[in-house]
Amino acid sequence: MDVVVITERCYHLLILLGVCGVLFCAFAACTTTQGTISPAENRTITDMVGRTVVVPSEIESILCTSPPSTMLVYMIAPGRLAGWNFAPVKEYTPGRYAALPVVGGWFGKETGNYETFISMHPDIIVEGYTTDGGAALASVAERQRKLGPIPVVAVEDSTNTTGYSEPIRFVGELLGEEERAEAMIAFYEGILATVTERVASIPDGERVGVYYAEGPKGLATDPTGSQHAELIELCGGRNVADCALTPGMGMTEVSMEQVIRWDPEVILAAEPDFYATVRADPLWQDITAVKTGRVYLIPRTAFCWFDRPPGINRIIGIPWTAKVLYPDLFTDMDLEGLVREYHDLFIHVSLSDDQIHRILNP
């Protein structure tokens, strides 16, 4: 009888120990999973408007709400971009990137759709059209609310021609592409310093009068104070447009009489159709820029060099604009070499000598 009692007790004890062992292993497994995988999956950052944001440790898929931020991401880490706000020019964009879907966005034109952005399951969404300080914080918070659990990361100064270094550096660090970002910054800051130092010595009364001709007839423009026309004054020109500033997308409509009265010495043409016809158009014949042959078509490769969007795509527009306005001041500038280097570094495409010649001599 004693043996039976001991056996039963041992039996029940063994069962109890076994159950405890299973529970312990299960608990240990859960503890190990949460302790090793969860922290590795996420990290906490501070974005450029001071928000604390939890983002994936490995960011592989990114959408942006506006073209300046989209171009910033593409130029730093093209393989992470999941879609465009509008399509780049395919001739100058590597095929695998040109084929990315166009998802729209919020940049004056309200073409974005929150459901579309959410359905693409990006790791993060970059809000980069924010140059207005406190108002930017409110707009980013509203964007986050509408996008739900997808982290929204704010990038400042993506449209500030003299302030591109910090957003480039921030996105480089965010994506682990610090080396490329620093190379881009060195290229940009070298150009910016050369141009601004040289044009600083030009007296106000000797600065070239420039008209930025937009639209198919050249009768839309952006005056001083518009982010769309920043390169004129940055490169030592005098923006002749004395008209109202249209917020957002810009492009204030003006009359032929106003342009004649302003009588620019240089016309920068945004549209190929206008550029092709302006020199033969009798309405424009008495304007100094037309009479002296100083009408220039703004180059556009993957993206425009001067504007639309006013993002870091304008970096190559700085030396182009400076040399157009003051060719004698920049005779030693190797514009062809800069164009080649810019496209290799920023656009991820190599241009031939013939392509560069055609771009600079339309």
Side-chain angles (χ1 to χ4, degrees):
M1 179 66 70
D2 290 342
V3 173
V4 172
V5 171
I6 294 170
T7 302
E8 287 179 351
R9 286 176 179 174
C10 290
Y11 176 77
H12 290 300
L13 181 60
L14 288 171
I15 291 175
L16 181 60
L17 289 171
V19 170
C20 290
V22 170
L23 291 173
F24 177 80
C25 290
F27 176 78
C30 288
T31 303
T32 301
T33 299
Q34 292 177 353
T36 58
I37 295 178
S38 182
E41 288 178 348
N42 297 316
R43 58 193 164 112
T44 301
I45 66 164
T46 301
D47 70 12
M48 292 189 75
V49 294
R51 296 165 60 251
T52 299
V53 186
V54 178
V55 302
S57 293
E58 298 295 330
I59 298 171
E60 300 297 337
S61 176
I62 306 167
L63 287 176
C64 306
T65 59
S66 67
S69 49
T70 293
M71 292 178 186
L72 184 58
V73 169
Y74 169 73
M75 291 177 180
I76 293 173
R80 321 280 186 96
L81 188 66
W84 300 103
N85 307 118
F86 63 82
V89 177
K90 291 184 177 181
E91 181 183 356
Y92 300 102
T93 309
R96 64 187 181 278
Y97 306 131
L100 291 172
V102 175
V103 297
W106 296 268
F107 48 96
K109 293 181 178 179
E110 301 296 312
T111 60
N113 180 283
Y114 287 102
E115 288 74 18
T116 298
F117 272 57
I118 292 168
S119 71
M120 293 182 68
H121 306 291
D123 292 327
I124 64 169
I125 290 174
V126 175
E127 169 79 9
Y129 203 57
T130 51
T131 57
D132 50 355
L137 187 58
S139 67
V140 175
E142 176 65 9
R143 193 84 71 203
Q144 182 69 82
R145 185 184 70 79
K146 291 182 177 179
L147 288 166
I150 302 172
V152 174
V153 177
V155 176
E156 280 282 6
D157 282 343
S158 60
T159 62
N160 178 2
T161 313
T162 60
Y164 289 147
S165 292
E166 286 312 303
I168 292 173
R169 182 170 288 115
F170 173 82
V171 173
E173 292 174 353
L174 176 68
L175 303 180
E177 298 286 352
E178 292 91 345
E179 186 175 347
R180 176 177 291 277
E182 291 305 320
M184 292 166 61
I185 290 168
F187 180 89
Y188 158 65
E189 290 185 347
I191 286 173
L192 185 66
T194 297
V195 170
T196 54
E197 286 169 10
R198 292 192 189 183
V199 302
S201 63
I202 303 172
D204 290 345
E206 298 177 16
R207 294 183 176 249
V208 174
V210 182
Y211 175 67
Y212 176 27
E214 301 180 85
K217 296 183 179 179
L219 293 177
T221 194
D222 287 287
T224 296
S226 169
Q227 62 187 358
H228 298 289
E230 281 182 352
L231 291 193
I232 293 175
E233 291 173 332
L234 177 72
C235 296
R238 175 177 54 84
N239 191 337
V240 300
D242 182 12
C243 60
L245 188 157
T246 301
M249 290 294 289
M251 293 186 72
T252 301
E253 293 186 4
V254 297
S255 67
M256 193 70 238
E257 288 73 21
Q258 285 175 294
V259 179
I260 292 171
R261 184 169 65 251
W262 297 331
D263 192 24
E265 299 164 80
V266 169
I267 293 174
L268 303 179
E271 298 292 337
D273 289 346
F274 170 73
Y275 175 75
T277 60
V278 64
R279 285 162 291 189
D281 189 331
L283 294 175
W284 293 80
Q285 293 306 297
D286 291 332
I287 292 175
T288 298
V290 176
K291 289 190 293 186
T292 59
R294 299 197 69 186
V295 180
Y296 303 94
L297 178 63
I298 295 169
R300 177 184 298 272
T301 46
F303 316 108
C304 183
W305 292 12
F306 185 85
D307 185 26
R308 309 209 181 276
I312 67 171
N313 49 295
R314 297 192 293 184
I315 288 174
I316 191 58
I318 296 172
W320 177 82
T321 303
K323 195 152 187 170
V324 161
L325 299 190
Y326 300 103
D328 293 340
L329 196 58
F330 293 97
T331 55
D332 62 335
M333 178 182 281
D334 179 14
L335 186 56
E336 291 81 1
L338 292 174
V339 170
R340 180 176 287 104
E341 185 179 353
Y342 166 83
H343 284 81
D344 282 338
L345 181 58
F346 289 75
I347 310 300
H348 316 291
V349 65
S350 295
L351 298 183
S352 67
D353 291 343
D354 287 344
Q355 284 178 305
I356 294 173
H357 180 78
R358 283 189 280 110
I359 292 164
L360 296 177
N361 301 275

